[in-house]
Amino acid sequence: MPTINEILQTMDYGPAPESTKEAQAWLDQHGRRFGLFIDNAWVDGAETFASNNPADGSELAQVTQATGDDVTRAVEAARRAQPGWVAMGGHGRAKVMYAIARLLQRHARLFAVLETLDNGKTIRETRDADLPLAARHFYHHAGWAQLQSEEFADYRAVGVVGQIVPWNFPVLMLAWKIAPALAAGNTIVFKPAEYTSLTSLLFAEICQQAGVPAGVVNIVTGDGRVGEAIVNHPGIDKLAFTGSTEVGRIICKATAGSGKKLSLELGGKSPFIVFDDADLDAAVEGLVDSIWFNQGQVCCAGSRLLVQESIYDRFIAKVKTRMQNLRVGSPLDKSNDIGALVDPVQQQRIHGLVEAARAEGCEIWQPAREAPVAGSWYLPTLITGASTSAAVAQTEIFGPVLVAMSFRTPGEAVQLANNTVYGLAACVWSESISLALDVAPQIKAGVVWINTANQFDAACGFGGYKESGFGREGGKEGMYEYLTPLSEDARPSAPVIAAVGSTRAEVRQSEGSNPFAVDRTAKLYIGGKQARPDGAYSRAIHGANGAFLADIGEGNRKDIRNAVEAAHKAAGWSKATAHNRAQVLYYIAENLAVRAEEFAARLAAMTGVRDPQREVAASIERLFYWAAWADKYDGQAHQPPMHGITVALNEPVGVIGVICPNENPLLGFISLVAPALALGNRVVAVPSEAHPLSALDLYQVLDTSDLPGGALNIVTGSADELARTLATHGDVDAVWRHDGSAEGCAEVERLSSETLKRTWVGGGKGRDWFDAKQACGRTVLQHASQVKNVWIPYGV
């Protein structure tokens, strides 16, 4: 007679198929042919393409390939509808969004089955994860719509928004994008992925039932040509894109200089770190959820397993045992863990990367089972023995493939975690909360999960660092992505030059008349020291009356390189307490006040401004303002629907290159540099090209104000040339340009796209630097920081 253990070993799950009757009936109701949804009506197109079931390759329906003219019609419909959608008010929009949420819940099973048929992911995921969270986003953002006039009183809707999403989470990505855009008062042109359009078209019917006004939501289907038409359309005010890093770069280049607002959620190569004191069995289950959820077709999948050396072999053995028990098969079977890949092209790409790793000598391990023959399938895969520079350790595979390696110390774990161009998410597993909370802030990623994985909620922002993109989705920070400060509308159309008065002339000493004359060349300021320019060139600066004032160093590429190196060496400034940073800024203001008359005289001589004392006084006040914010721009603690909290931390961006304005050369310089320093960034500043001396005169002020060397570096010279160098530098994290050069700002955006660094540019418009609404506030703080959400479960 068999023992209990023997019986348990022979037991297996029986089939538990989900019925597709309702989904098939819905497809049949539409004749399995779908048009575009524009201006609340269905529009047929001349060209269609097949949407197939990845699990067996069968055709589900024909979907319309939109044209450029179709995109234009959708944009025009959205433009017409936008004023009326805003005029409905927050409460009116909230009621419509609440209706959408209710309808999503009512038809959740239909959505879930249709998503599984079209995408290939398991019914358990669509039913239990995707649809509940999609409805949650509409509920949550209906609340933001209701509160908009109170919480976002100084903002307005951006206008017409173009949104492009991938195929891995079709209906959930739709909710992530559409819900906040609608709440803020925008209208939408939405493009689902070519492979997975059906649930978006079902959502269009939900919009009709919920009473969404005509033109507010428009859905255009098709391949990359449709996305390109949306990106390049001049009637689009904002673009929100989720997809590959390569396409993200293309979008950045295409929109450079257009004034379009942009948010990008791109690729990832997320680390899954397991320390030796972790609950190993729990960590294994978390790993399953992290890398094999949705067949690994998740941008934040924990595809890099980093295990402490002392437990590496034991943990890998547990992982293999768990992989052996993963069920691969029909996505409609509720007992299966892993479904089909979205398309044969994706299957071939994954296979190619894995085989390349095998050829490089890596060990490839898969469970002993056969994948289904029909459709697009790939077994869960573990790769060991890869170097840190191997393609499989650096490339986003976007499949059920895990690359494992070991580490010895927490410091080494952080180094390995950050050894990637991406920075989307990370997992940290340790029973020591002290260790976990020490490591989490050191990881350069927008989301860090502690002792859990792949947790999402509408109240908690999601988005990346580095080449994983910029902008956030979810939470209050996600709402700002779809809003524009009212102060931007008040900006002058061009830089405003102050009225000039009389200035006292200075006489330049004749060259060669006195060989012992004091050198009057103002030097660069790099690493806390004055430095001669690398090229040994200088340029004469003359005052408003034409009199010579001084020579300045003409900085070049090498000077920028030295300044960036000095900024990275000053990483301690980012780690300093906010109180300490505030004290330093207050001290700078105090020392500037002592020399106020000297700076006023310099401004008068340079610019001829009638009231230079006003600019100096405003600069001192601006320093006080940003010092006040330094220890008050706190994060938030969210309480998502899990047993724990999510802490949103406002972290510095890193090294910021700043091109300062020519107007108000002291105040403009302070207004840009001070907020960056206040939040812990290090700065390479290019002062006013025309009037740089007041910024250079700050040397002694900075030296006597306890600002660490390298926290602020000043390089004078050509704004165009130095901005170009900063934008192409791989170790610069963001570039700000506010000198009124439309062409220069467009170039910064275009060149920065290669490394996907953040930009903040003023375009050809001016800015009233004396106006606190235009030069201060939360908008500036948001540019000077990036949000990291740390998920901390407790009691589980």
Side-chain angles (χ1 to χ4, degrees):
M1 185 172 180
T3 65
I4 293 296
N5 285 335
E6 290 172 336
I7 293 173
L8 291 174
Q9 289 174 4
T10 60
M11 291 178 66
D12 201 356
Y13 291 100
E18 176 72 28
S19 171
T20 64
K21 179 181 177 181
E22 287 77 8
Q24 299 290 356
W26 181 80
L27 292 169
D28 290 336
Q29 175 188 335
H30 290 270
R32 295 185 180 261
R33 185 183 179 92
F34 292 87
L36 312 173
F37 185 70
I38 299 175
D39 209 13
N40 209 32
W42 293 98
V43 179
D44 291 329
E47 182 184 349
T48 64
F49 59 92
S51 185
N52 298 318
N53 182 343
D56 58 17
S58 63
E59 182 178 308
L60 294 170
Q62 286 287 318
V63 178
T64 295
Q65 169 68 43
T67 65
D69 289 340
D70 293 324
V71 170
T72 294
R73 281 193 289 272
V75 172
E76 290 173 348
R79 180 65 64 192
R80 288 192 301 271
Q82 205 261 332
W85 183 238
V86 171
M88 285 181 65
H91 179 58
R93 294 194 298 277
K95 288 192 295 182
V96 172
M97 295 180 66
Y98 179 80
I100 292 174
R102 293 285 288 164
L103 287 166
L104 279 174
Q105 288 181 318
R106 185 181 306 169
H107 300 288
R109 188 56 63 95
L110 173 59
F111 270 99
V113 173
L114 188 62
E115 187 93 310
T116 292
L117 285 171
D118 203 24
N119 172 273
K121 64 169 64 180
T122 66
I123 187 66
R124 287 194 295 124
E125 293 175 8
T126 58
R127 179 195 65 194
D128 299 340
D130 293 11
L131 263 299
L133 187 51
R136 160 77 173 144
H137 269 271
F138 280 98
Y139 278 126
H140 178 80
H141 288 94
W144 281 127
Q146 183 70 47
L147 300 174
Q148 182 178 357
S149 61
E150 179 180 339
E151 290 294 312
F152 304 103
D154 295 328
Y155 293 80
R156 62 164 174 82
V158 176
V160 176
V161 175
Q163 300 178 323
I164 304 170
V165 300
W167 39 258
N168 53 344
F169 291 93
V171 75
L172 182 54
M173 289 286 182
L174 176 149
W176 280 22
K177 293 283 191 294
I178 289 182
L182 290 181
N186 301 282
T187 50
I188 296 160
V189 177
F190 181 85
K191 181 201 171 300
E194 177 186 3
Y195 296 144
T196 53
S197 301
L198 296 181
T199 46
S200 296
L201 298 171
L202 175 57
F203 178 79
E205 293 187 355
I206 293 296
C207 289
Q208 290 177 315
Q209 296 172 34
V212 177
V216 170
V217 174
N218 305 274
I219 298 177
V220 289
T221 54
D223 58 18
R225 291 172 292 175
V226 183
E228 185 178 1
I230 292 173
V231 168
N232 293 322
H233 200 288
I236 297 285
D237 301 303
K238 179 202 161 51
L239 287 164
F241 173 78
T242 296
S244 71
T245 296
E246 292 73 21
V247 176
R249 285 195 184 94
I250 293 170
I251 292 174
C252 278
K253 290 178 183 177
T255 57
S258 67
K260 288 184 172 75
K261 195 169 183 178
L262 189 62
S263 55
L264 303 174
E265 194 262 283
L266 307 176
K269 194 70 178 175
S270 301
F272 189 101
I273 305 171
V274 183
F275 287 100
D276 57 8
D277 65 343
D279 181 334
L280 299 190
D281 291 326
V284 168
E285 291 306 310
L287 183 64
V288 170
D289 288 338
S290 184
I291 180 58
W292 291 301
F293 177 72
N294 196 15
Q295 297 72 253
Q297 299 171 126
V298 183
C299 51
C300 56
S303 54
R304 289 188 299 143
L305 174 61
L306 308 177
V307 185
Q308 198 150 19
E309 191 175 80
S310 58
I311 58 166
Y312 179 81
D313 292 336
R314 185 155 55 104
F315 191 77
I316 293 297
K318 285 178 175 288
V319 171
K320 289 181 177 179
T321 299
R322 186 66 179 88
M323 290 174 67
Q324 190 65 49
N325 292 324
L326 291 173
R327 293 174 57 87
V328 181
S330 170
L332 289 163
D333 189 329
K334 293 186 280 289
S335 64
N336 284 336
D337 301 301
I338 295 180
L341 299 172
V342 74
D343 189 80
V345 173
Q346 182 68 4
Q347 180 191 45
Q348 293 161 14
R349 179 180 182 276
I350 295 167
H351 179 74
L353 286 166
V354 171
E355 291 308 307
R358 192 193 304 274
E360 292 174 0
C362 298
E363 179 183 339
I364 312 299
W365 191 92
Q366 292 177 323
R369 67 177 69 240
E370 295 294 328
V373 177
S376 305
W377 302 87
Y378 204 86
L379 292 176
T381 303
L382 173 66
I383 299 178
T384 55
S387 69
T388 56
S389 60
V392 288
Q394 293 292 329
T395 303
E396 184 181 33
I397 299 174
F398 223 63
V401 180
L402 176 67
V403 180
M405 55 188 67
S406 64
F407 65 88
R408 292 184 179 180
T409 65
E412 185 182 0
V414 171
Q415 287 183 328
L416 288 171
N418 291 333
N419 182 34
T420 173
V421 297
Y422 299 110
L424 189 55
C427 290
V428 178
W429 289 77
S430 171
E431 288 296 279
S432 168
I433 193 64
S434 176
L435 174 61
L437 291 179
D438 178 55
V439 168
Q442 298 181 60
I443 299 175
K444 296 177 181 178
V447 179
V448 179
W449 293 293
I450 294 177
N451 292 335
T452 187
N454 275 352
Q455 295 286 336
F456 306 98
D457 186 61
C460 306
F462 180 85
Y465 288 11
K466 301 190 290 185
E467 293 191 20
S468 288
F470 46 78
R472 293 294 181 265
E473 295 185 282
K476 193 170 187 179
E477 58 264 42
M479 280 293 294
Y480 284 115
E481 299 294 335
Y482 292 94
L483 295 163
T484 295
L486 295 175
S487 59
E488 288 296 299
D489 298 332
R491 288 176 56 196
S493 59
V496 177
I497 305 302
V500 256
S502 58
T503 57
R504 185 165 54 88
E506 287 193 36
V507 181
R508 183 173 187 175
Q509 185 124 359
S510 300
E511 293 184 7
S513 63
N514 181 358
F516 302 105
V518 176
D519 181 11
R520 299 174 67 191
T521 301
K523 299 178 180 61
L524 314 180
Y525 188 68
I526 297 175
K529 300 177 181 179
Q530 297 185 46
R532 296 183 183 277
D534 169 72
Y537 286 101
S538 61
R539 173 167 53 93
I541 298 297
H542 296 85
N545 61 359
F548 171 75
L549 297 180
D551 287 314
I552 64 161
E554 196 73 11
N556 63 15
R557 178 176 295 271
K558 187 174 180 182
D559 295 312
I560 291 292
R561 186 194 70 185
N562 293 339
V564 172
E565 288 179 358
H568 277 279
K569 290 178 182 177
W573 178 249
S574 298
K575 299 175 184 176
T577 66
H579 172 74
N580 175 253
R581 295 196 300 269
Q583 294 306 301
V584 170
L585 289 177
Y586 281 129
Y587 204 4
I588 294 173
E590 180 182 338
N591 287 327
L592 178 59
V594 171
R595 300 174 59 184
E597 288 303 317
E598 174 188 338
F599 276 85
R602 176 70 91 182
L603 286 170
M606 281 194 308
T607 67
V609 65
R610 291 176 182 171
D611 186 9
Q613 291 82 3
R614 176 173 177 247
E615 182 170 342
V616 176
S619 299
I620 294 168
E621 181 179 352
R622 195 61 46 85
L623 283 163
F624 265 72
Y625 177 86
W626 292 117
W629 265 117
D631 61 354
K632 296 173 186 65
Y633 190 50
D634 298 321
Q636 292 182 310
H638 302 298
Q639 294 179 290
M642 75 165 202
H643 198 60
I645 60 171
T646 302
V647 179
L649 305 174
N650 292 320
E651 296 189 333
V653 175
V655 175
I656 300 179
V658 179
I659 312 299
C660 299
N662 286 307
E663 71 275 17
N664 308 128
L666 178 62
L667 179 59
F669 181 92
I670 294 294
S671 295
L672 292 170
V673 168
L677 291 174
L679 295 194
N681 299 283
R682 288 92 72 199
V683 178
V684 177
V686 178
S688 163
E689 183 174 351
H691 310 299
L693 296 178
S694 57
L696 296 176
D697 288 342
L698 288 170
Y699 295 159
Q700 292 180 347
V701 171
L702 300 175
D703 288 342
T704 57
S705 300
D706 296 336
L707 183 70
L712 172 59
N713 306 273
I714 304 174
V715 180
T716 52
S718 164
D720 287 335
E721 180 183 338
L722 298 180
R724 196 173 298 128
T725 303
L726 286 165
T728 55
H729 198 297
D731 283 334
V732 173
D733 300 295
V735 178
W736 299 354
R737 183 163 186 173
H738 291 272
D739 63 344
S741 169
E743 297 80 6
C745 289
E747 184 180 42
V748 161
E749 291 181 316
R750 186 171 60 255
L751 295 177
S752 294
S753 64
E754 280 303 316
T755 52
L756 287 166
K757 55 173 61 73
R758 292 171 52 169
T759 59
W760 179 31
V761 299
K765 297 178 70 175
R767 191 177 296 273
D768 184 350
W769 296 102
F770 288 94
D771 184 350
K773 290 185 177 180
Q774 291 187 38
C776 300
R778 288 187 174 271
T779 301
V780 183
L781 291 164
Q782 289 160 5
H783 283 295
S785 63
Q786 51 192 352
V787 181
K788 172 183 287 180
N789 278 274
V790 181
W791 291 69
I792 310 169
Y794 51 77
V796 292

